[in-house]
Amino acid sequence: MTAQPAPHHHDDETGCCGKPLPTDLPAFPNARVVTVVAGVLIDADRRILLAQRPEGKSMAGLWEFPGGKINAGETPEYALVRELSEELGIITCTDCLQPLTFASHEYPDFHLLMPVFACRKWRGTPEGREGQKLAWATLQQLSSYDMPPADKPLIPMLFDLIG
């Protein structure tokens, strides 16, 4: 007697996790993807630097990991080194950046893609050069800060990194 293969259940309406497949996604050419980069600066006391988005910017008042847009022709690492210099007045180099994770988050009018790097080594003292307030937070304090939806899910990974 030959064993018969088990019948495969195939449902074109259900994904691998059993949930219905999304049917309302925009076609790829219509998706506006904004690529930014963020740095998790960790000091000698294992605190993490947060910057508050200034008035007049979208999501003003929320606390985020420093960084910014990646310009055409820039690598994420180079863009972060530039942004940290412009925003915070500190000097670091691409070799001092450790790839950590990335965030992919859909906002109402665009999709954010954000590579995130850890940085433990820089020259200078961070200061808000674009009107933003800064705060050093311990891991335990991070969840008490109001953060953009793309940043908040990164907190558990930081416990793995620094914990």
Side-chain angles (χ1 to χ4, degrees):
M1 184 160 115
T2 308
Q4 296 293 319
H8 291 297
H9 176 68
H10 184 66
D11 181 354
D12 288 338
E13 303 299 319
T14 305
C16 60
C17 60
K19 294 181 181 176
L21 291 172
T23 57
D24 59 347
L25 293 177
F28 178 75
N30 297 326
R32 187 166 78 94
V33 177
V34 175
T35 307
V36 299
V37 63
V40 176
L41 275 69
I42 306 163
D43 73 2
D45 295 322
R46 297 175 20 178
R47 297 177 306 166
I48 295 164
L49 185 69
L50 296 174
Q52 190 175 38
R53 293 186 62 83
E55 293 303 318
K57 284 196 169 185
S58 65
M59 295 185 270
L62 297 183
W63 293 87
E64 65 183 357
F65 301 109
K69 286 194 174 136
I70 300 172
N71 294 328
E74 287 183 328
T75 63
E77 294 87 345
Y78 180 86
L80 184 56
V81 168
R82 177 186 51 74
E83 286 284 348
L84 294 176
S85 174
E86 291 172 3
E87 286 186 12
L88 305 176
I90 61 172
I91 305 298
T92 190
C93 61
T94 57
D95 289 345
C96 294
L97 303 177
Q98 173 191 358
L100 185 57
T101 188
F102 71 94
S104 182
H105 184 81
E106 187 173 344
Y107 286 100
D109 53 341
F110 68 95
H111 191 95
L112 181 89
L113 183 63
M114 181 172 70
V116 181
F117 295 86
C119 181
R120 297 175 187 263
K121 190 174 178 183
W122 61 86
R123 277 200 338 252
T125 302
E127 56 186 28
R129 291 194 162 181
E130 297 179 346
Q132 75 275 42
K133 292 179 185 171
L134 302 179
W136 287 101
T138 64
L139 281 173
Q140 292 72 24
Q141 294 168 332
L142 280 179
S143 61
S144 67
Y145 286 85
D146 285 333
M147 301 177 93
D151 288 50
K152 198 90 170 162
L154 302 175
I155 294 174
M157 287 178 206
L158 298 179
F159 276 87
D160 292 340
L161 176 72
I162 303 169

